[in-house]
Amino acid sequence: AVVLTFDERCCTEGSHDVVRLYTDPERRVQLPFGPFFGNRLDGNSNFPTKRLVVRGDSVTVSFEALSKPEVIKDAQQQREEDTKARWGIRCLATGLFVQPQPWPLSLMQMLAECTAEVATRMLLHSNRSGSSSSSSS
């Protein structure tokens, strides 16, 4: 698997400049994440704040920009504009190796996880129904 971590400063000019993730270099199969775009300073960013885990041994990151850069002649104005938005993207990709387990262990782990999920839901349901019946008396 590949773990992707996006920098918190990632930003684009708007929704027309996007980052897309693909499973192949030819960009035929897009992953179910994204597209990512926006600027956290404006509150319109949808870049991931947590790590993304992509199954497989590779991922293609594509930055598709439609906006043209503005040419600003005044150096002070340029510095002000640079602090507002146009930082770009930064993504760290690291490999994640998962040791395969024998199938009986995998089955036991899956059953344990399912049992824990059912028990959690039962406990949550009994707490909700218990608190509503005691409040109605």
Side-chain angles (χ1 to χ4, degrees):
V2 179
V3 179
L4 299 176
T5 307
F6 284 88
D7 192 290
E8 63 184 20
R9 297 170 290 180
C10 285
C11 70
T12 66
E13 183 71 23
S15 60
H16 46 274
D17 298 335
V18 298
V19 175
R20 297 181 198 275
L21 304 176
Y22 297 91
T23 61
D24 59 321
E26 294 80 25
R27 298 183 300 173
R28 286 178 280 162
V29 181
Q30 187 173 340
L31 289 168
F33 316 113
F36 305 118
F37 57 86
N39 180 350
R40 288 198 206 304
L41 296 174
D42 296 338
N44 68 352
S45 174
N46 73 343
F47 280 96
T49 55
K50 297 181 180 178
R51 291 181 229 160
L52 296 177
V53 179
V54 179
R55 290 181 183 226
D57 59 0
S58 66
V59 63
T60 300
V61 179
S62 173
F63 180 50
E64 302 161 10
L66 295 178
S67 64
K68 296 178 182 176
E70 295 178 31
V71 177
I72 301 174
K73 294 181 180 175
D74 180 10
Q76 176 63 29
Q77 186 181 3
Q78 181 67 48
R79 280 193 296 277
E80 290 171 5
E81 285 295 317
D82 288 345
T83 58
K84 283 185 192 171
R86 298 178 188 88
W87 189 81
I89 64 166
R90 181 179 187 182
C91 179
L92 175 66
T94 53
L96 178 66
F97 179 73
V98 181
Q99 187 77 18
Q101 296 180 345
W103 73 267
L105 288 178
S106 293
L107 180 61
M108 286 175 44
Q109 181 180 0
M110 184 177 63
L111 288 172
E113 289 171 358
C114 290
T115 304
E117 180 68 27
V118 169
T120 301
R121 289 176 187 250
M122 289 175 65
L123 287 171
L124 289 174
H125 181 71
S126 68
N127 284 345
R128 286 187 191 141
S129 61
S131 63
S132 64
S133 63
S134 62
S135 64
S136 62
S137 316

